[in-house]
Amino acid sequence: MKSESTPRGSFGSQLGVILASAGSAVGLGNIWRFPTEVGKGGGAAFILIYLAFIFLLAMPVMISEFVIGRSARSNAIGAFQKLSPGKPWIVAGIMGVLGGFLVLSFYSVVAGWTLHYTIQSALGQLQGGKGTDFGAAFNAFVSDPWQPILYLAIFMLLTHLVVARGIQHGIERYSKLMMPLLLAIIVLLVAFSLTMPGAKDGIRFLLQPDLSKVTPDVVLGAMGQAFFSLSVGLGCLVTYASYFSKETRLVKSAMNVCIIDTMVAVLSGFIIFPTVFSVGISPDAGPGLVFITLPNVFLLSFSEMPVIGYAFALLFYVLLLLAALTSSISMHEICTAFISEHFSKSRRKAAAIVTVICLVLGGFCSLSFGPWKEVTFCDKGIFDLFDYTVTKFLMPLGGLLITLFVGWYFDRKLVEQQLTNDGSIPVRTMKPLLFLIRWVAPFGILVIFLNELFPLFI
Ligand code: PHE
């Protein structure tokens, strides 16, 4: 059933490759999840560990995904079928596509909340009045049966429209438009935030490591965060790399994406912590940080500087929305590329199928905050179950299989050919890179994975 004749798109430029891949990486993971983890993990201490994992574990997986994708020029499942026909490696591809459906479904729920908060802040309604209880307002909103699903549907439709237009006219074009805008907003917000009174304490929190907060759990959390943030382990970057040209430099592109992603994560910390400290709120406020704590901060800053407060709130949620969209299109693409190629469907039809399936699954996730709160499997609601399955199970296991595939199974000469573009560019770091792919990454990932499995079995 697999069709070789379906025309495949390709990225039109090196800048497009980097911005689309960085767009996938930079997302809610950087702006929403990273500051939360930093808050829980002792500020600078967490950041240092996280940086080590980005470059030692997650980047080797990213480069391996690039090698697989460009060698096979196929979707995540087709790539393993092509490179190792009849072998069980295909499991890595199947887990990736399944993970793509799950991650898009729960991610879009949070992206839908972001859309709601963007509109609220644009209308000036986030300002509330003195005494507004943002925690209660947030809980009332997410547990409503219909409203969050409406926003989820609008967000999914936006994602659909980009993916349905194809690689160059959809993903590349919109990434080139949204990523510079996103980076500009970040710089502006950091500048705002650093001038807040009392910002110094937030900066100190980010730069001074508190080693007493570093527990094994924090270390493992940093690994999971590094994977999620770089979008590795699900074959998302296998799919994107299948559209790279012969000239694309894989190692350099991966380095650029890692640097951009890390910069955005750290800068988000510089936006959030100085503001949070400036109004004296605890930095480890958890996942509600950007939907409960920040509106509080905006409210307090509104009272003194209403215009700046308004602009800050609006820009912040627009930033979050743009980041979510450039990531969700990459999740959608994992699934769309597979359905289109495997079942010989046009891109538009394949994209529509993915959108409908994820809309239904996303609806279930959304309801798990309200009327379906009681529906649990292994003590987890549907949203948490999807989140757990992807981030704690499919991503690490996928990353492990991907590095084992490239490091141990795939022909070493072919790997080197991919990394050097057939010998036309020197890769001086080849030896250490291959060492990371063969030994460091799989071993490190195995440690996280066993740790996650262990509590499951006792
Ligand atoms: N990297 C994205 C983020 O930081 C999330 C993502 C996960 C994207 C998996 C694609 C695939 O938000």
Side-chain angles (χ1 to χ4, degrees):
M1 248 196 299
K2 213 172 128 310
S3 148
E4 297 293 328
S5 58
T6 321
R8 303 194 89 250
S10 65
F11 287 110
S13 66
Q14 176 64 20
L15 183 68
V17 163
I18 293 179
L19 291 184
S21 311
S24 166
V26 171
L28 296 173
N30 301 60
I31 305 165
W32 179 56
R33 204 164 182 264
F34 180 79
T36 308
E37 299 280 309
V38 171
K40 286 190 292 190
F46 177 90
I47 297 181
L48 288 177
I49 302 169
Y50 173 80
L51 285 181
F53 291 151
I54 282 282
F55 290 97
L56 295 178
L57 303 183
M59 191 188 63
V61 182
M62 181 181 284
I63 293 177
S64 304
E65 289 205 23
F66 282 176
V67 167
I68 296 172
R70 197 173 57 176
S71 304
R73 299 216 171 277
S74 185
N75 63 82
I77 294 183
F80 287 99
Q81 263 175 339
K82 251 190 194 168
L83 301 180
S84 58
K87 296 268 168 20
W89 291 108
I90 194 177
V91 170
I94 296 174
M95 287 185 344
V97 172
L98 187 70
F101 278 106
L102 298 183
V103 75
L104 179 60
S105 304
F106 77 79
Y107 199 86
S108 301
V109 172
V110 182
W113 300 347
T114 308
L115 182 59
H116 168 73
Y117 274 72
T118 310
I119 295 171
Q120 293 276 98
S121 55
L123 297 176
Q125 285 171 359
L126 221 52
Q127 188 171 1
K130 279 255 174 305
T132 305
D133 183 345
F134 288 105
F138 174 72
N139 287 329
F141 169 67
V142 301
S143 58
D144 185 90
W146 294 112
Q147 265 205 69
I149 293 187
L150 178 71
Y151 287 103
L152 156 76
I154 300 172
F155 180 81
M156 196 72 89
L157 192 68
L158 291 175
T159 307
H160 172 89
L161 290 176
V162 175
V163 174
R165 305 193 85 174
I167 305 306
Q168 250 182 58
H169 297 293
I171 298 177
E172 179 167 2
R173 183 157 152 227
Y174 287 97
S175 302
K176 274 181 164 168
L177 206 76
M178 291 191 279
M179 286 306 283
L181 194 61
L182 183 151
L183 296 174
I185 296 180
I186 289 199
V187 173
L188 214 68
L189 289 181
V190 172
F192 266 164
S193 150
L194 293 183
T195 53
M196 302 275 278
K200 257 192 259 116
D201 292 333
I203 299 171
R204 194 169 309 125
F205 177 76
L206 271 170
L207 298 181
Q208 258 178 20
D210 174 2
L211 291 176
S212 70
K213 287 247 179 87
V214 180
T215 59
D217 223 35
V218 167
V219 175
L220 298 167
M223 287 209 241
Q225 174 62 20
F227 268 59
F228 188 76
S229 190
L230 283 189
S231 320
V232 295
L234 296 183
C236 179
L237 299 170
V238 168
T239 313
Y240 269 20
S242 73
Y243 309 121
F244 288 2
S245 75
K246 287 203 307 283
E247 286 78 35
T248 302
R249 297 176 172 220
L250 301 188
V251 180
K252 198 170 152 205
S253 306
M255 278 306 278
N256 279 320
V257 173
C258 291
I259 291 169
I260 296 175
D261 187 70
T262 308
M263 240 175 49
V264 171
V266 173
L267 287 178
S268 303
F270 274 103
I271 295 172
I272 288 176
F273 293 111
T275 10
V276 165
F277 273 89
S278 80
V279 290
I281 292 174
S282 159
D284 57 356
L289 192 68
V290 302
F291 296 112
I292 301 172
T293 313
L294 283 186
N296 260 311
V297 173
F298 299 143
L299 172 66
L300 291 171
S301 64
F302 263 126
S303 56
E304 311 243 309
M305 323 168 264
V307 180
I308 298 212
Y310 175 83
F312 197 130
L314 181 58
L315 281 177
F316 180 79
Y317 288 111
V318 170
L319 167 71
L320 208 56
L321 192 62
L322 287 175
L325 193 55
T326 54
S327 294
S328 64
I329 55 182
S330 72
M331 301 167 186
H332 201 297
E333 181 59 26
I334 312 178
C335 312
T336 300
F338 166 68
I339 293 199
S340 158
E341 290 174 9
H342 193 81
F343 299 105
S344 305
K345 297 257 178 265
S346 72
R347 165 167 283 273
R348 276 172 194 283
K349 266 206 194 118
I353 295 172
V354 174
T355 300
V356 169
I357 295 176
C358 290
L359 208 49
V360 173
L361 293 177
F364 294 165
C365 291
S366 182
L367 288 173
S368 74
F369 288 95
W372 289 11
K373 221 180 212 141
E374 309 305 324
V375 182
T376 55
F377 303 90
C378 310
D379 263 355
K380 287 186 171 29
I382 303 173
F383 180 98
D384 289 341
L385 188 73
F386 280 23
D387 181 348
Y388 184 89
T389 309
V390 172
T391 54
K392 302 286 165 63
F393 189 77
L394 296 175
M395 282 186 135
L397 191 56
L400 177 65
L401 292 176
I402 286 165
T403 46
L404 288 177
F405 182 85
V406 171
W408 296 92
Y409 174 82
F410 202 45
D411 187 342
R412 170 92 170 240
K413 272 215 197 78
L414 295 177
V415 176
E416 289 189 11
Q417 263 173 23
Q418 282 296 337
L419 296 180
T420 59
N421 288 358
D422 283 330
S424 66
I425 44 164
V427 176
R428 260 176 271 125
T429 49
M430 182 69 80
K431 277 226 166 96
L433 201 59
L434 290 176
F435 180 74
L436 288 180
I437 293 176
R438 277 170 80 89
W439 296 100
V440 180
F443 183 74
I445 296 164
L446 202 63
V447 174
I448 338 175
F449 192 57
L450 287 180
N451 175 73
E452 293 304 335
L453 270 191
F454 199 59
L456 219 74
F457 283 119
I458 51 173

Coordinates of all heavy atoms in Angstrom, one line a residue, residues 21-31 33 99-100 103 107 225-234 236-237 261 323-324 326-328 330-332 334 390-391 395, ligand 1:
S21 N 12.8 23.8 12.2 CA 13.2 22.9 13.2 C 13.3 23.6 14.6 O 12.8 23.0 15.6 CB 14.6 22.3 13.0 OG 14.7 21.8 11.7
A22 N 13.8 24.8 14.6 CA 13.8 25.6 15.9 C 12.3 25.9 16.3 O 12.0 25.9 17.5 CB 14.6 26.9 15.7
G23 N 11.5 26.1 15.3 CA 10.0 26.3 15.6 C 9.4 25.1 16.3 O 8.6 25.3 17.2
S24 N 9.8 23.9 15.8 CA 9.3 22.7 16.4 C 9.8 22.7 17.9 O 9.1 22.4 18.8 CB 9.8 21.5 15.7 OG 9.6 20.3 16.4
A25 N 11.1 23.0 18.1 CA 11.7 22.9 19.4 C 11.1 23.9 20.4 O 10.7 23.6 21.5 CB 13.2 23.0 19.3
V26 N 11.1 25.2 19.9 CA 10.7 26.2 20.8 C 9.2 26.2 20.9 O 8.4 26.3 19.9 CB 11.1 27.6 20.2 CG1 10.4 28.7 21.0 CG2 12.6 27.8 20.2
G27 N 8.7 26.0 22.1 CA 7.2 25.9 22.3 C 6.8 26.1 23.7 O 7.5 26.7 24.5
L28 N 5.6 25.5 24.0 CA 5.2 25.7 25.4 C 6.2 25.1 26.4 O 6.3 25.5 27.5 CB 3.8 24.9 25.6 CG 2.7 25.5 24.8 CD1 1.5 24.6 24.9 CD2 2.3 26.9 25.2
G29 N 6.9 24.1 25.9 CA 8.0 23.5 26.7 C 9.0 24.5 27.2 O 9.5 24.3 28.3
N30 N 9.3 25.5 26.4 CA 10.3 26.5 26.8 C 9.7 27.5 27.7 O 10.3 27.9 28.7 CB 10.9 27.2 25.6 CG 11.5 26.3 24.6 OD1 10.8 25.4 24.0 ND2 12.8 26.4 24.3
I31 N 8.5 28.0 27.3 CA 8.0 29.2 28.0 C 7.1 28.8 29.2 O 7.1 29.6 30.2 CB 7.3 30.1 27.0 CG1 8.3 30.4 25.8 CG2 6.9 31.4 27.6 CD1 7.6 30.9 24.6
R33 N 6.8 25.2 30.5 CA 7.2 24.1 31.3 C 8.6 24.4 31.9 O 8.8 24.1 33.1 CB 7.3 22.8 30.4 CG 7.2 21.5 31.2 CD 6.9 20.4 30.2 NE 6.8 19.1 30.9 CZ 7.8 18.2 31.0 NH1 8.9 18.5 30.5 NH2 7.6 17.1 31.7
G99 N 2.9 8.6 19.2 CA 3.2 9.7 20.1 C 2.8 11.0 19.5 O 2.4 11.9 20.2
G100 N 3.0 11.1 18.2 CA 2.6 12.4 17.5 C 1.1 12.7 17.7 O 0.7 13.8 18.0
V103 N 0.6 13.6 21.5 CA 1.2 14.8 22.0 C 0.4 16.0 21.4 O 0.1 17.0 22.1 CB 2.7 14.9 21.7 CG1 3.0 15.1 20.3 CG2 3.4 16.0 22.5
Y107 N -1.3 18.7 23.9 CA -0.7 20.0 23.7 C -1.6 21.1 23.3 O -1.6 22.2 23.7 CB 0.4 19.8 22.7 CG 1.5 20.8 22.6 CD1 2.7 20.7 23.5 CD2 1.5 21.9 21.7 CE1 3.7 21.6 23.4 CE2 2.6 22.8 21.6 CZ 3.7 22.7 22.5 OH 4.7 23.5 22.4
Q225 N 12.8 17.1 30.4 CA 12.6 18.4 29.9 C 13.4 18.7 28.7 O 13.0 19.2 27.7 CB 12.9 19.4 31.0 CG 12.8 20.9 30.6 CD 11.4 21.3 30.1 OE1 10.4 20.7 30.4 NE2 11.4 22.4 29.3
A226 N 14.7 18.2 28.7 CA 15.6 18.4 27.5 C 15.0 17.7 26.3 O 15.0 18.3 25.2 CB 17.0 17.9 27.8
F227 N 14.5 16.5 26.5 CA 13.9 15.8 25.3 C 12.7 16.5 24.8 O 12.5 16.6 23.6 CB 13.5 14.4 25.8 CG 14.6 13.4 25.6 CD1 15.8 13.6 26.2 CD2 14.4 12.3 24.7 CE1 16.8 12.7 26.0 CE2 15.5 11.4 24.5 CZ 16.7 11.6 25.2
F228 N 11.8 16.8 25.7 CA 10.5 17.4 25.3 C 10.8 18.7 24.6 O 10.3 19.0 23.5 CB 9.6 17.7 26.5 CG 8.3 18.1 26.1 CD1 7.3 17.2 25.6 CD2 7.9 19.5 26.2 CE1 6.1 17.7 25.3 CE2 6.6 19.9 25.9 CZ 5.7 19.0 25.4
S229 N 11.8 19.5 25.1 CA 12.0 20.8 24.6 C 12.6 20.8 23.2 O 12.4 21.6 22.4 CB 12.9 21.6 25.6 OG 13.0 22.9 25.2
L230 N 13.5 19.8 23.0 CA 14.1 19.7 21.6 C 13.2 18.8 20.6 O 13.7 18.6 19.5 CB 15.5 19.1 21.7 CG 16.6 20.0 22.2 CD1 18.0 19.4 22.1 CD2 16.6 21.4 21.5
S231 N 12.1 18.4 21.1 CA 11.2 17.6 20.2 C 11.8 16.3 19.7 O 11.6 15.9 18.6 CB 10.7 18.3 19.0 OG 10.4 19.7 19.2
V232 N 12.7 15.7 20.5 CA 13.3 14.5 20.0 C 12.7 13.2 20.6 O 12.1 13.2 21.6 CB 14.9 14.5 20.3 CG1 15.5 15.6 19.6 CG2 15.2 14.5 21.8
G233 N 12.8 12.1 19.8 CA 12.4 10.8 20.3 C 11.1 10.3 19.6 O 10.8 9.1 19.7
L234 N 10.4 11.2 18.9 CA 9.1 10.8 18.3 C 9.2 10.7 16.8 O 8.3 10.5 16.1 CB 8.0 11.8 18.6 CG 7.6 11.9 20.1 CD1 6.4 12.8 20.2 CD2 7.2 10.5 20.6
C236 N 9.8 13.2 14.9 CA 9.4 14.5 14.4 C 10.5 15.1 13.5 O 10.2 15.6 12.4 CB 9.1 15.4 15.6 SG 8.6 17.1 15.2
L237 N 11.7 15.0 14.0 CA 12.8 15.5 13.2 C 13.3 14.5 12.1 O 13.9 14.9 11.2 CB 14.0 15.9 14.2 CG 13.5 17.0 15.1 CD1 14.5 17.2 16.2 CD2 13.2 18.3 14.4
D261 N 16.9 27.0 21.0 CA 16.0 26.5 21.9 C 16.4 26.8 23.4 O 15.6 27.2 24.2 CB 15.8 25.0 21.7 CG 14.7 24.4 22.6 OD1 13.5 24.7 22.2 OD2 15.0 23.7 23.6
A323 N 4.7 30.3 19.8 CA 5.5 29.2 20.1 C 4.8 27.9 20.0 O 5.3 26.9 19.5 CB 6.1 29.4 21.5
A324 N 3.5 27.9 20.6 CA 2.7 26.7 20.5 C 2.4 26.2 19.1 O 2.5 25.1 18.7 CB 1.4 26.9 21.3
T326 N 4.1 26.9 16.2 CA 5.2 26.4 15.4 C 5.6 25.0 15.9 O 6.2 24.2 15.1 CB 6.5 27.3 15.5 OG1 6.8 27.5 16.9 CG2 6.3 28.6 14.8
S327 N 5.2 24.6 17.1 CA 5.5 23.3 17.6 C 4.4 22.3 17.1 O 4.6 21.2 16.7 CB 5.6 23.2 19.1 OG 6.7 23.9 19.5
S328 N 3.1 22.8 17.3 CA 2.0 21.9 17.0 C 2.0 21.5 15.5 O 1.7 20.4 15.1 CB 0.7 22.5 17.3 OG 0.4 23.6 16.6
S330 N 4.6 20.8 13.8 CA 5.6 19.7 13.6 C 5.0 18.4 14.1 O 5.3 17.3 13.6 CB 6.9 20.0 14.3 OG 6.8 20.0 15.7
M331 N 4.2 18.5 15.2 CA 3.6 17.2 15.7 C 2.6 16.7 14.6 O 2.5 15.5 14.4 CB 2.8 17.5 17.0 CG 3.6 18.1 18.1 SD 2.6 18.7 19.4 CE 3.8 19.5 20.4
H332 N 1.8 17.6 14.1 CA 0.8 17.3 13.1 C 1.5 16.7 11.9 O 1.0 15.7 11.3 CB 0.1 18.6 12.7 CG -1.3 18.4 12.0 ND1 -1.4 17.7 10.8 CD2 -2.5 18.7 12.4 CE1 -2.7 17.7 10.5 NE2 -3.4 18.3 11.4
I334 N 4.2 14.9 11.7 CA 4.6 13.5 11.9 C 3.5 12.6 11.4 O 3.7 11.6 10.6 CB 4.8 13.1 13.4 CG1 5.7 14.1 14.1 CG2 5.4 11.7 13.5 CD1 5.9 13.8 15.6
V390 N 3.6 10.0 26.6 CA 4.5 10.6 25.6 C 5.8 11.0 26.3 O 6.9 10.5 25.8 CB 3.9 11.9 25.0 CG1 4.9 12.6 24.1 CG2 2.7 11.5 24.1
T391 N 5.8 11.8 27.3 CA 7.0 12.4 27.8 C 7.8 11.3 28.7 O 9.1 11.4 28.7 CB 6.8 13.6 28.7 OG1 5.9 13.3 29.7 CG2 6.3 14.7 27.8
M395 N 8.9 9.1 24.4 CA 10.1 9.9 24.0 C 11.4 9.3 24.4 O 12.3 9.1 23.6 CB 9.9 11.3 24.5 CG 9.0 12.2 23.7 SD 9.0 13.8 24.3 CE 9.1 14.7 22.7
Ligands
PHE1 N1 9.5 20.9 21.7 C1 8.1 21.3 21.9 C2 8.1 22.3 23.0 O1 9.1 22.7 23.6 C3 7.2 20.2 22.1 C4 7.3 19.1 21.1 C5 7.3 17.8 21.5 C6 7.2 19.3 19.7 C7 7.4 16.7 20.6 C8 7.2 18.3 18.8 C9 7.3 17.0 19.2 O2 7.0 22.8 23.4

